[in-house]
Amino acid sequence: MRTEIQQLCEAQGLDPGRIPDHVAIIMDGNGRWARERGESRVFGHMHGVDAVRFSVEAAMELGVRYLTLYAFSTENWSRPKEEVEALMNLLVDTLVQEIKELGAKGVRLRTIGDVAALPKNCQDQLQEAEKTTENNETIDLILALSYSSKWEMVQAIKMLIESGYKGDEVTEEVVTKHLSTEGIPDPELMIRTSGEHRISNFLLWQLAYAEFHFTSTLWPDFGKESFFTAIRDFQNRERRFGGLLDTNHNVAAQ
Ligand code: FPP
């Protein structure tokens, strides 16, 4: 009998055997989406929450195991105080409203970034949401909050020095273990909305071999169909990891 994932893949023209394990998204364009409607930027962020919901649902329907969302960058602290406050409140309100349902669906909430820099009520809600969902295994929803890749790398270097590592003991594996994504496989696909073609200090180490999907769709308009389109685009790429493909289009053995 065909599974629900197989049926959905057939309907969407997707190969169920090549669904990426980890998808990362730079959710961009909330401000422009709001401006087009003569509304405040916060209005755009509020509608951005719906798009978050759609992407989590689409990812779960396809069996994506990890979904990382760039929700607030280190650089976002420089935005007007009112916008930062509104984003933090939105995060808390969303967590309070959605966490039970997400948890019941098997979502495990995790965070990466300088979470200690967030307001106390945000930290408390996040901690509670992480605790109540920690045993879930359907999908890990990883929120990058007060996150930047350069910050993360500096933290890793500090930890290595403090732990007394010698130069020749520092390997790729060791660095990987000291990043906030420790234990999480690297994303195979990174999506950025709103027509920008930048990586903006997001997972610089972890995206080394990821495929990038750029779309002009503004984040609040990014629905399930947009997510499926991104996966189709991913499946049309030849991933060689710097090697060559054999006649079956697999990476040839060295
Ligand atoms: C970028 O759009 C978006 C953000 C900085 C915030 C993203 C936040 C959300 C989608 C809502 C809350 C998220 C969760 C997980 C509940 P922008 O403001 O830079 O847009 P612009 O480039 O058009 O100005």
Side-chain angles (χ1 to χ4, degrees), residues 203-224:
L203 302 175
L204 301 179
W205 176 276
Q206 297 87 339
L207 293 175
Y209 278 103
E211 297 294 331
F212 289 0
H213 172 82
F214 296 108
T215 169
S216 58
T217 302
L218 301 176
W219 178 250
D221 288 330
F222 192 86
K224 280 190 184 185

Side-chain angles (χ1 to χ4, degrees), residues 27-33 35 41 44-49 52 69-73 76 79 83 87 90-91 94-95 143 145 194 196 218-219:
M27 312 180 285
D28 197 10
N30 293 350
R32 276 162 283 169
W33 186 91
R35 195 171 60 223
R41 298 178 54 78
H45 296 316
M46 283 161 66
H47 283 267
V49 174
V52 168
L69 303 178
Y70 204 6
F72 194 86
S73 70
N76 287 152
R79 293 195 176 197
E83 183 175 348
L87 271 169
L90 199 55
L91 183 71
T94 307
L95 282 174
L143 299 183
L145 291 164
S194 92
E196 307 292 350
L218 301 176
W219 178 250

Side-chain angles (χ1 to χ4, degrees), residues 54-65 67 139 227-228:
F54 291 138
S55 277
V56 174
E57 281 173 14
M60 288 178 83
E61 285 171 19
L62 288 179
V64 171
R65 185 62 189 77
L67 179 67
I139 190 169
F227 192 91
F228 297 144

Side-chain angles (χ1 to χ4, degrees), residues 25 27 67-74 76 91 110-115 118 141-148 180 201-203:
I25 310 184
M27 312 180 285
L67 179 67
T68 300
L69 303 178
Y70 204 6
F72 194 86
S73 70
T74 308
N76 287 152
L91 183 71
R110 302 173 74 166
T111 53
I112 54 171
D114 188 10
V115 175
L118 300 176
L141 174 60
I142 303 151
L143 299 183
L145 291 164
S146 191
Y147 174 87
S148 84
S180 50
N201 218 344
F202 184 46
L203 302 175

